[in-house]
Amino acid sequence: ETEALSVLAELFRTILQSVRTHHPHEVFEMTQKTISGCLEEYGEGVLIPTALLDELLICVGQGPIVLVTNPSKAAEVAKRQKSGKRTKTLPPHQVEQENPSYIVASAIIRKTVDRLSTPIANLLNGLLNSDPRVVAESSILITIPGESKLNHPMQQDQSAVANVWNIVYEFHRIASSILTTVIGTLVNYLTSPELEQRSMVVRLLGRLFCGDDAKLAVQFRSCFREWLRRTNDIDPTIRLTMVEYLLKLISSSMTDVSADAQHSLIKQLTEDSSHVVRLRLIHGLCDVAHGHRDILRQDLWRLVGSRVSAKNKQERKDAVTGLAQNYFTNYTAYHLSNVQVEGDDCSLDTVRKALRTCAQHYSDDNYSWIPTKIFQAASFGDTVDPDMRNRVFLVMDEILLGSELPNSSKRLSATARSVGLAILVHSLKQESVSTSYAWVGDLLKQRSRLQKASREYLEARRNIKAHPQGTFLE
């Protein structure tokens, strides 16, 4: 019986690993029928041998994309040898292509999921729990792979093996019902004292919950909530990993998942002791808001604004810059689009409409408060942050109100910038804290006096050049 099983497992391996992308469709169909027929011989109540399940799961664990030898490289080498010329860079040694073994194995599992669901789940749970009997029977690896091996294609190889972590991940694409008990097993290791294992489980569950528009996060709600608690993990690298996945979940169409993710980020941005984690949060949230105007909760977005007053200098700088970029894209350019289209000869009706719209939506807008926060940063003295005031000047001149430079991505017409300045000053005046309004008023007065002095100086120089040396001006 052992020898027969070994022969059957070898047959499975040969058939699955010998399929190629250039084979006709009939080959794929015959391969599926052959292996499915063999599995159907194991009737209900009969345990399917681990060796046969291994062959299917190894193909699944290799992923839908594999690395194969690049045929164009061999052709280019032969061409060079024949001509003796070296005028081109050689093509890469390997290229990515669809994994035909994965396609066949996944099709078989989908077709026979009722029969294979329990045996596969038991095998995966046994491997994850390092059950001695299961580990001894299976050829699937249980070692924790590095990040590079978890996210990159494997080389196509008939003798290749797969890792249980990669296999679990791929099942969310093939048959997520098999993961019902497996995800519960993974959750048990979220509190493992071993950092490497805990980190691997956090990454794997993060990839599962972020995939397929977060449907697994809804399906396994309690497991998802348990995973969210890793935002309080003692290790900062795990907390940083959580930030990366939570930023992706914000844009999920699953409202509850997005709300949970934002709630966790509020707590993390408020309480996390690592400035590296907080910086990543500032960058990530600004990037998310830049691409999705109304996606962030107002309390989370205002919390980003509060980092303008953070103790860490880099946090203050990055918060000011990120907020300014979003203000221009999601407020200035958004509300002044019609003014910009009409150019410097914009009609007064269009200007009035833009001003009226901003005034009406001031209280419930996610962005009108940003200038106040930015100009508050200018209150840092030179002894605390000597660069911040210059940063605020730069932000005001080149970002908040767009730029006059012809090649700038934020270029606005002079009329649009003037209307934008009027809206900005109005928003500062509406805030209960008037320091920003007073500061901007003083700044504009100083610049006006400077411009007047510059004009008088230039006019005096022109007058001097207009008179020969030794004459007197009247």
Side-chain angles (χ1 to χ4, degrees), residues 103-322:
I103 294 173
V104 173
S106 58
I108 294 169
I109 292 172
R110 290 191 189 99
K111 183 178 179 181
T112 59
V113 67
D114 293 338
R115 183 184 301 273
L116 295 181
S117 179
T118 301
I120 289 177
N122 290 338
L123 175 57
L124 294 176
N125 283 324
L127 291 169
L128 291 170
N129 288 321
S130 299
D131 185 299
R133 181 186 63 81
V134 176
V135 173
E137 291 179 356
S138 177
S139 61
I140 296 172
L141 301 176
I142 61 172
T143 54
I144 297 176
E147 181 69 26
S148 59
K149 292 184 179 180
L150 188 66
N151 295 323
H152 291 79
M154 301 172 60
Q155 183 172 350
Q156 189 176 41
D157 187 353
Q158 187 165 342
S159 60
V161 294
N163 195 291
V164 65
W165 305 94
N166 290 323
I167 293 170
V168 170
Y169 173 72
E170 292 300 331
F171 266 104
H172 90 278
R173 310 180 202 259
I174 300 171
S176 60
S177 59
I178 293 177
L179 298 177
T180 301
T181 59
V182 177
I183 286 185
T185 301
L186 288 171
V187 167
N188 293 332
Y189 291 104
L190 285 173
T191 55
S192 169
E194 298 180 17
L195 175 59
E196 187 180 27
Q197 186 177 56
R198 199 166 71 249
S199 177
M200 181 66 238
V201 173
V202 166
R203 283 186 287 142
L204 178 55
L205 287 175
R207 295 178 72 202
L208 289 171
F209 291 142
C210 288
D212 198 17
D213 196 27
K215 290 181 180 178
L216 286 181
V218 176
Q219 185 178 350
F220 301 99
R221 190 72 170 165
S222 60
C223 296
F224 175 64
R225 291 279 178 84
E226 191 66 28
W227 174 76
L228 287 176
R229 294 177 64 184
R230 287 301 94 203
T231 53
N232 297 321
D233 196 280
I234 191 172
D235 186 75
T237 59
I238 290 182
R239 301 201 302 271
L240 194 59
T241 300
M242 289 296 298
V243 168
E244 300 298 337
Y245 289 118
L246 290 174
L247 289 171
K248 295 177 183 178
L249 288 171
I250 288 176
S251 56
S252 169
S253 62
M254 305 295 175
T255 308
D256 291 343
V257 173
S258 177
D260 285 345
Q262 295 197 52
H263 178 76
S264 296
L265 290 174
I266 288 174
K267 189 174 181 181
Q268 204 165 10
L269 188 56
T270 306
E271 301 177 0
D272 203 290
S273 59
S274 170
H275 76 277
V276 175
V277 174
R278 295 195 302 270
L279 277 173
R280 181 65 191 102
L281 271 169
I282 293 169
H283 294 168
L285 290 170
C286 287
D287 290 343
V288 170
H290 196 268
H292 306 82
R293 186 177 186 274
D294 298 316
I295 198 169
L296 293 186
R297 288 168 43 172
Q298 195 168 98
D299 52 350
L300 175 57
W301 191 222
R302 284 185 176 267
L303 193 59
V304 176
S306 71
R307 304 318 298 171
V308 169
S309 304
K311 292 181 179 180
N312 184 275
K313 179 179 178 179
Q314 192 63 42
E315 282 186 56
R316 295 196 297 267
K317 176 183 175 183
D318 292 355
V320 165
T321 305

Side-chain angles (χ1 to χ4, degrees), residues 418-448:
S418 299
V419 176
L421 178 60
I423 294 172
L424 184 149
V425 172
H426 177 266
S427 68
L428 295 177
K429 197 173 182 179
Q430 297 302 309
E431 290 289 336
S432 57
V433 180
S434 60
T435 54
S436 297
Y437 177 73
W439 186 86
V440 172
D442 290 340
L443 173 64
L444 294 177
K445 289 177 183 177
Q446 290 175 12
R447 289 191 170 185
S448 177

Side-chain angles (χ1 to χ4, degrees), residues 335-396:
H335 287 296
L336 299 181
S337 57
N338 292 332
V339 177
Q340 174 67 9
V341 168
E342 294 188 21
D344 289 333
D345 297 327
C346 178
S347 65
L348 287 177
D349 288 339
T350 303
V351 172
R352 290 193 192 100
K353 185 177 180 180
L355 293 171
R356 188 163 50 248
T357 300
C358 292
Q360 289 173 348
H361 298 285
Y362 172 77
S363 60
D364 60 351
D365 195 279
N366 252 2
Y367 298 93
S368 56
W369 54 269
I370 288 178
T372 299
K373 281 292 180 183
I374 290 176
F375 292 124
Q376 283 177 5
S379 61
F380 284 99
D382 291 342
T383 55
V384 178
D385 193 343
D387 301 323
M388 180 54 75
R389 192 166 297 178
N390 290 333
R391 165 68 56 172
V392 173
F393 289 157
L394 178 65
V395 160
M396 180 177 179

